[in-house]
């Protein structure tokens, strides 16, 4: 018996006639064999390990529980997948009441409580394949891997439909869309009314950070998308161990997601159910999220952008920490010294590549700790401590290849869910950049035949892979350590064709905050909008900051004061994307970025030289180790050049942007801008380093 929903297994009459009480019946259904196998019970069974849904023990690095101990598991045929936990504690009673309320409104055919077991994950994948929502890839070429093709109108985060519904409009600030929370609750109730008819409502308890970690946060996502469930299972730690936290009284975040595509009795499902009308609504005061209409990425895996960034940034503001759109690595020097580096880049600007850097300079090593989100907090030792709250990578596929990110390619050997990439005739995947020469024939991301002459990309530019971080060959051994790592360095970067030099050193924390606040970048396909258009992306957080950006900048300045000046991470700005007049990238990037990191670490260690510029200290060409790199001297000069006239215009743009924060702009940042302007005025001519 399996309790996982399947359209083929579902009874059309049951789906049509589910009353609120039958819809939620499975939350209180009697347990197989009279035991309490799915329970978090109040007495001995309050230990989730005594429940077969969690008999497999705590969630592993893969975000799913390890293989169950056969001596403790109930026979497979009787495994009570999806059964509701017991209302044994106040925490569980609250959770069950909330699930009952949503189920009464959304009227699903059934309710499935996600246990996080490996069997459950596999069963969900099997059902998704049976329903035509996933395609299983060739088991030899790409073992245990799947391909999803989304609806062509549901391919990226929908920033225009992303709302911060704070009680007061001014608290959302000028960079967010705001709507009245009461209206948004009414909208939510209207949209949810019957939205899950004919479908299964999944309850997914998730933990950001190791379950029980002192800086971890937990939440529950209700969703009617099994694709979202398996994705959340990879990206976070899910299931019974989290329920235990809730049962023990831990605070948790409530998130509800519906694809907005109820099924009438007998109605055929589609491969990618979604709705034209989309809303991603955050309630920062009550720490809730409601997402409707989309099944894609950050719109559907609510733990990621909605909770780990937008709501977490609010929690961080209130509790004295920071939730950031950053990668996290450990850089090990040829002398064996270890440095921890966090780096903020806007979406699809190479965070995953830098997170898995394979240095070309001899002796250097990089260990991956995270590729997208970092939570950091000033510690009692006066240093900033950082951790990656996620358990997987949701990376952009195009551009990822053996030459650009060999580690990612190895990470994707199998056990991966691909979305919107192309499929080869042999049943493997392909995307632009995976190989230099495309295969002669493919099925493209929309399921159409494709050849190199088709004149359109085979994979969608925002096509993705979802994979456990544990599969990365260079993942740090301690990547799940709840204590995190002490941070030495913070990088801010964007994608800028002109003006912005390869690297600039901040003078101090306030200047570093100014550099972070003024990042601008060319838009990529990660969100809807015009690709290539330059927009200001402070701290790469423009779409992810859950409150007023001016207050966020003030919070960064405050965090600086919570550290010892000489122990705070040093801040640098980088730009790998500068182009020459002929449009060529001037810097080779990827593994060669170690040369910039080597200079930065040289600065930290006091061994690297620099020249001053109106923007901050820069390397002279001779300060960079360019050994073995066939880089024209003119290109190096261009990469390190600062043109005061162009920067005066840039400063105008920065000023206009900062003004939008009104009286919430911290005075220090106005002073930083004034001092940049006066340094630019004092510079007589473009700073162009001469090669010795
Ligand atoms: C992501 C993004 O998915 O930033 O990580 O869009
Ligand atoms: Mn991201």
């Amino acid at each position: 018996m399996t309790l996982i929903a399947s359209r083929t297994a579902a009874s059309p009459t049951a789906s049509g006639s589910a009353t609120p009480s039958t819809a939620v019946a499975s939350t209180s259904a009697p347990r197989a064999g009279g035991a309490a196998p799915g329970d978090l019970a109040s007495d001995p069974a309050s230990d989730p390990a005594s429940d077969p849904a969690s008999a497999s023990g705590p969630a592993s690095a893969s975000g799913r529980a390890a293989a169950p101990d056969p001596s403790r598991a109930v026979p497979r045929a009787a495994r009570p997948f999806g059964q509701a936990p017991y209302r044994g504690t106040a925490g569980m009673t609250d959770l069950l009441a909330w699930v009952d309320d949503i189920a009464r409104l959304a009227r699903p055919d059934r309710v499935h409580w996600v246990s996080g077991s490996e069997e459950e994950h596999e069963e969900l994948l099997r059902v998704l394949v049976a329903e035509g929502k996933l395609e299983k890839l060739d088991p030899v070429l790409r073992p245990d891997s799947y391909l999803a093709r989304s609806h062509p109108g549901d391919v990226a985060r929908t920033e225009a439909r992303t709302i911060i519904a704070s009680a007061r409009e001014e608290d959302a600030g000028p960079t967010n869309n705001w709507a009245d929370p009461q209206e948004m609750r009414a909208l939510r109730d209207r949209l949810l009314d019957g939205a899950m008819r004919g479908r299964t409502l999944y309850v997914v308890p998730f933990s950001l950070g190791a379950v029980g970690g002192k800086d971890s946060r937990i939440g529950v996502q209700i969703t009617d998308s099994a694709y979202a469930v398996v994705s959340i299972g990879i990206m976070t730690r899910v299931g019974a161990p989290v329920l235990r936290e809730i049962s023990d009284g831990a605070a948790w975040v409530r998130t509800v997601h519906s694809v907005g595509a109820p099924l009438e009795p007998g109605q055929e499902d589609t491969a990618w159910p979604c709705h034209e009308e989309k809303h991603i609504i955050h309630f920062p005061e009550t720490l809730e999220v409601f997402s409707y209409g989309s099944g894609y990425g950050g719109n559907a895996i609510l733990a990621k952008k909605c909770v780990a960034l937008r709501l977490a940034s609010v929690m961080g503001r209130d509790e004295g920490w920071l939730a950031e759109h950053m990668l996290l690595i450990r850089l090990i020097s040829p002398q064996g010294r270890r440095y921890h580096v966090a780096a903020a880049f806007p979406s699809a600007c190479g965070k995953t590549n830098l997170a898995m850097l394979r240095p070309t300079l001899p002796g250097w090593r990089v260990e991956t700790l995270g590729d997208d989100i970092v939570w950091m907090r000033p510690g009692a030792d006066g240093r900033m401590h950082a951790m990656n709250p996620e358990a997987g990578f949701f990376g952009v596929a195009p551009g990822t290849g053996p030459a650009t990110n060999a580690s990612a390619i190895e990470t994707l050997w199998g056990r991966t869910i691909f979305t919107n990439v192309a499929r080869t005739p042999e049943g493997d995947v392909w995307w632009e950049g995976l190989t230099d020469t495309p295969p002669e024939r493919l099925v493209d991301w929309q399921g159409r035949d494709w050849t190199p002459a088709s004149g359109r990309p085979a994979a969608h530019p925002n096509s993705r892979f979802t994979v456990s971080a544990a599969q990365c060959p260079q993942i740090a051994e301690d990547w799940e350590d709840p204590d995190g790592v002490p941070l030495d360095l913070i990088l801010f970067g964007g994608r800028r064709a002109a003006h912005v030099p390869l690297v600039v050193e901040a003078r101090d924390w306030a200047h570093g905050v100014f550099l972070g606040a003024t990042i601008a970048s060319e838009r990529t396909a990660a969100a809807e909008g015009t690709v290539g258009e330059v927009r200001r992306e402070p701290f790469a957080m423009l779409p992810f900051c859950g409150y007023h950006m001016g207050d966020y900048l003030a919070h960064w300045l405050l965090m600086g004061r919570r550290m010892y000046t000489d122990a705070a991470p040093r801040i640098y700005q980088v730009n790998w994307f500068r182009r020459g007049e002929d449009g060529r990238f001037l810097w080779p990037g990827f593994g060669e970025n170690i040369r910039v990191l080597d200079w930065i670490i040289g600065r930290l260690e006091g061994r690297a030289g620099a020249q001053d510029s109106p923007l901050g200290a820069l390397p002279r060409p001779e300060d960079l180790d360019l050994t073995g790199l066939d880089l024209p001297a003119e290109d190096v000069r261009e990469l390190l050049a600062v043109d005061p006239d162009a920067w005066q215009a840039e400063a105008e743009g920065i000023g206009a942007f900062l003004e939008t924060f009104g009286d919430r702009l911290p005075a220090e940042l106005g002073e930083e801008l004034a001092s940049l302007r006066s340094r630019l005025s004092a510079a007589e001519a473009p700073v162009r380093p001469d090669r010795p």
Side-chain angles (χ1 to χ4, degrees):
M1 172 180 76
T2 167
L3 301 182
I4 289 186
S6 134
R7 283 305 294 156
T8 43
S11 135
T13 36
S15 77
S17 62
T19 62
S21 59
T22 57
V24 296
S26 67
T27 57
S28 50
R31 272 86 191 173
D39 282 2
L40 268 169
S42 48
D43 43 334
S46 68
D47 177 2
S50 71
D51 116 35
S54 64
S56 40
S60 71
S62 70
R64 294 191 291 283
D69 172 356
S71 62
R72 300 172 73 201
V74 292
R76 192 182 166 83
R79 187 171 299 281
F81 276 139
Q83 206 157 72
Y86 180 69
R87 279 170 214 259
T89 60
M92 290 308 298
T93 302
D94 258 14
L95 169 58
L96 280 141
W98 174 68
V99 172
D100 283 354
D101 281 351
I102 301 291
R104 238 187 306 279
L105 187 60
R107 300 199 294 282
D109 273 13
R110 60 196 73 73
V111 175
H112 175 108
W113 287 75
V114 168
S115 74
S117 73
E118 188 67 35
E119 286 85 351
E120 179 187 58
H121 186 77
E122 276 165 21
E123 179 66 3
L124 285 164
L125 290 165
R126 195 192 61 70
V127 170
L128 281 163
V129 171
E131 291 178 340
K133 295 187 171 113
L134 285 183
E135 210 173 295
K136 194 163 171 48
L137 294 166
D138 182 87
V140 175
L141 296 172
R142 204 63 66 169
D144 299 318
S145 296
Y146 300 84
L147 169 61
R149 290 195 189 93
S150 80
H151 185 282
D154 193 20
V155 292
R157 285 183 291 99
T158 44
E159 290 181 8
R161 304 302 318 138
T162 299
I163 308 282
I164 301 297
S166 46
R168 299 182 323 166
E169 181 169 5
E170 59 267 34
D171 291 338
T175 57
N176 282 314
N177 303 308
W178 177 85
D180 176 71
Q182 295 215 22
E183 280 171 29
M184 289 300 98
R185 284 184 201 287
L187 175 69
R188 179 194 63 186
D189 290 353
R190 181 171 66 68
L191 292 172
L192 263 186
D193 189 3
M196 298 188 185
R197 273 178 291 123
R199 299 196 180 277
T200 297
L201 179 160
Y202 297 93
V203 184
V204 195
F206 62 83
S207 178
L208 289 161
V211 181
K214 65 179 179 17
D215 292 328
S216 301
R217 292 290 183 276
I218 59 175
V220 178
Q221 178 166 340
I222 284 178
T223 178
D224 54 8
S225 160
Y227 166 87
V229 177
V230 292
S231 305
I232 304 162
I234 294 171
M235 295 306 299
T236 70
R237 292 96 178 154
V238 299
V242 185
L243 282 187
R244 175 167 190 168
E245 295 279 302
I246 293 176
S247 181
D248 287 350
W252 52 280
V253 170
R254 292 158 200 240
T255 74
V256 179
H257 168 242
S258 171
V259 293
L263 290 166
E264 300 310 327
Q267 184 185 340
E268 274 280 300
D269 203 355
T270 58
W272 186 274
C274 61
H275 197 286
E276 213 175 309
E277 181 178 346
K278 297 178 175 42
H279 302 272
I280 324 291
I281 305 170
H282 305 73
F283 300 94
E285 279 87 8
T286 51
L287 299 179
E288 291 173 273
V289 182
F290 171 58
S291 168
Y292 179 85
S294 168
Y296 208 85
N299 297 339
I301 308 170
L302 303 186
K304 191 171 174 63
K305 302 299 185 181
C306 300
V307 178
L309 285 177
R310 296 193 192 97
L311 292 189
S313 63
V314 172
M315 295 185 223
R317 176 198 62 191
D318 297 343
E319 300 168 7
W321 52 281
L322 290 160
E324 296 301 320
H325 191 207
M326 290 181 173
L327 64 90
L328 186 61
I329 54 176
R330 173 176 297 132
L331 188 57
I332 305 169
S333 76
Q335 296 72 32
R337 284 192 279 273
R338 293 151 46 113
Y339 296 94
H340 294 107
V341 184
F345 294 83
S347 305
C349 287
K351 277 203 303 299
T352 306
N353 291 341
L354 187 57
M356 299 180 193
L357 185 85
R358 290 203 179 169
T360 53
L361 285 183
W364 285 94
R365 278 193 307 123
V366 166
E367 291 179 356
T368 308
L369 289 153
D371 84 326
D372 195 47
I373 298 177
V374 170
W375 288 354
M376 54 174 112
R377 175 192 285 279
D381 57 357
R383 301 188 69 182
M384 186 71 97
H385 292 261
M387 68 116 155
N388 164 23
E390 300 192 280
F393 306 128
F394 179 65
V396 177
T400 309
T404 57
N405 192 340
S407 277
I409 296 299
E410 287 173 23
T411 305
L412 305 178
W413 62 267
R415 297 177 67 86
T416 304
I417 299 175
F418 297 93
T419 305
N420 284 348
V421 301
R423 183 172 59 68
T424 67
E426 296 77 31
D428 200 2
V429 284
W430 191 85
W431 50 80
E432 281 69 18
L434 181 60
T435 55
D436 290 342
T437 317
E440 279 171 18
R441 279 182 44 235
L442 290 168
V443 177
D444 77 2
W445 69 277
Q446 296 191 74
R448 298 176 300 181
D449 286 338
W450 184 95
T451 71
S454 295
R456 57 174 197 272
H460 187 277
N462 191 36
S463 54
R464 299 283 182 143
F465 51 79
T466 313
V467 66
S468 164
Q471 287 188 200
C472 176
Q474 64 193 78
I475 196 82
E477 213 177 72
D478 55 346
W479 72 281
E480 297 196 272
D481 185 345
D483 287 340
V485 294
L487 212 53
D488 299 289
L489 193 59
I490 295 176
L491 307 181
F492 294 120
R495 185 183 281 271
R496 291 299 299 274
H499 313 320
V500 181
L502 181 62
V503 53
V504 172
E505 178 179 84
R507 291 171 215 291
D508 53 25
W509 186 263
H511 183 220
V513 172
F514 178 76
L515 293 182
T518 55
I519 294 178
S521 192
E522 294 156 24
R523 263 178 186 275
T524 67
E528 290 179 347
T530 314
V531 172
E533 181 184 84
V534 174
R535 67 170 179 175
R536 298 264 153 218
E537 291 238 20
F539 291 77
M541 282 287 279
L542 185 70
F544 305 124
C545 180
Y547 61 103
H548 195 297
M549 188 60 84
D551 293 349
Y552 167 86
L553 300 176
H555 187 55
W556 260 87
L557 290 165
L558 176 68
M559 292 298 97
R561 293 194 281 276
R562 295 268 164 90
M563 289 176 288
Y564 300 137
T565 315
D566 54 353
R570 299 271 289 270
I571 300 179
Y572 289 77
Q573 176 193 285
V574 296
N575 176 25
W576 318 134
F577 299 95
R578 192 149 172 178
R579 292 178 191 261
E581 274 170 10
D582 53 2
R584 250 175 338 110
F585 283 116
L586 295 176
W587 179 247
F590 306 109
E592 305 296 0
N593 291 335
I594 189 63
R595 296 170 192 271
V596 175
L597 292 172
D598 169 61
W599 176 75
I600 293 174
I601 298 300
R603 297 290 292 163
L604 262 58
E605 292 179 348
R607 62 176 162 79
Q611 63 175 339
D612 206 12
S613 88
L615 309 184
L618 297 167
R620 296 159 301 178
E622 68 270 29
D623 297 321
L624 289 172
D625 183 346
L626 301 174
T627 330
L629 206 58
D630 190 15
L631 210 57
E634 184 49 34
D635 285 7
V636 179
R637 278 196 291 274
E638 189 60 32
L639 279 162
L640 301 174
V642 177
D643 176 347
D645 288 343
W647 269 94
Q648 286 288 8
E650 188 81 21
E652 283 290 300
I654 291 173
F657 178 67
L658 294 182
E659 261 173 34
T660 63
F661 303 137
D663 59 7
R664 301 229 192 172
L665 179 73
E668 288 100 312
L669 297 185
E671 286 156 20
E672 287 293 336
L673 178 60
S675 108
L676 169 67
R677 280 188 161 137
S678 78
R679 289 195 304 269
L680 287 168
S681 310
E684 284 157 12
V687 180
R688 281 177 70 82
D690 289 321
R691 207 174 170 80

